[in-house]
């Protein structure tokens, strides 16, 4: 039996991704086949929810390994969640054909003045990047859109 091709849409958030899976019905119209949240943090590593916040009150040399470990846990959680999603879809006869990621626009967190806001900016970049990485590792075409212009970009 042929697998039905679908597209996976991911909206990156802190510690999670909002997910929608879209396919075509028998008449060819788009239909939503699945909605869920994917964790992109590890509950066993609380700092993985906001990795850059974990080092805010520490000197940089102490913060670096803590932030790196938290980022690594977030990355592993995202990859595992994405693989589980794909496995679940396959079990339902659905084959992921492409991925769309919506997240914050790319910007340099170092240019953000406030340390707290810089942490948020870095985490926004991280959670967007781990979703893109999951698509690449699955060898799926991936289109990334800024959350500030996603509707206009998608329409064009």
């Amino acid at each position: 039996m042929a697998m039905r091709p679908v597209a996976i849409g991911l909206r990156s958030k802190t510690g999670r991704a909002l997910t929608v899976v879209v396919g075509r019905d028998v008449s060819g119209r788009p239909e939503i086949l699945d909605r869920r949240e994917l964790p992109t943090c590890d509950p066993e590593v609380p700092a993985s929810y906001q990795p850059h916040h974990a080092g805010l009150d520490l000197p940089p040399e102490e913060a670096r390994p803590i932030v790196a470990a938290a980022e690594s846990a977030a990355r592993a959680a995202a990859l595992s969640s994405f693989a589980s999603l794909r496995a679940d879809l396959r079990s339902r006869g659905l084959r992921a054909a492409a991925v769309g990621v919506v997240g914050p626009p790319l910007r340099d967190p170092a240019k953000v003045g406030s340390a707290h806001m810089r942490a948020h900016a870095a985490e926004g970049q991280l959670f967007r990047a781990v979703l893109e990485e999951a698509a690449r590792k699955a060898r799926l075409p991936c289109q990334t859109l800024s959350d500030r212009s996603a509707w206009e970009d998608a329409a064009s």
Side-chain angles (χ1 to χ4, degrees):
M1 181 164 129
M3 300 283 277
R4 182 177 174 189
V6 297
I8 299 173
L10 301 164
R11 170 59 167 104
S12 71
K13 297 291 216 177
T14 300
R16 63 195 166 98
L18 306 177
T19 305
V20 62
V21 176
V22 179
R24 295 205 178 270
D25 67 14
V26 292
S27 66
R29 289 188 305 257
E31 71 175 324
I32 295 173
L33 302 170
D34 191 278
R35 288 184 200 143
R36 64 179 81 180
E37 277 192 15
L38 290 184
T40 57
C41 63
D42 182 344
E44 300 293 319
V45 183
S48 68
Y49 179 73
Q50 289 185 306
H52 290 264
H53 280 73
L56 270 180
D57 297 325
L58 300 172
E61 61 278 358
E62 289 179 41
R64 275 188 208 96
I66 293 168
V67 169
E71 282 187 338
S72 180
R75 181 171 283 103
L79 294 173
S80 175
S81 293
F82 189 75
S84 293
L85 169 65
R86 291 185 62 232
D88 181 53
L89 294 175
R90 280 192 302 273
S91 75
R92 295 168 44 199
L94 304 172
R95 176 186 56 81
V99 176
V101 176
V102 175
L106 292 177
R107 63 182 182 167
D108 183 0
K111 293 182 178 179
V112 177
S114 159
H116 185 241
M117 295 312 294
R118 192 168 34 254
H120 280 288
E123 289 158 0
Q125 300 299 312
L126 168 70
F127 289 115
R128 174 180 164 166
V130 297
L131 296 172
E132 294 166 340
E133 181 181 339
R136 276 194 314 276
K137 285 192 181 269
R139 296 190 174 131
L140 292 171
C142 181
Q143 176 71 44
T144 303
L145 303 171
S146 165
D147 57 8
R148 300 229 172 103
S149 61
W151 290 108
E152 296 83 9
D153 294 343
S156 68

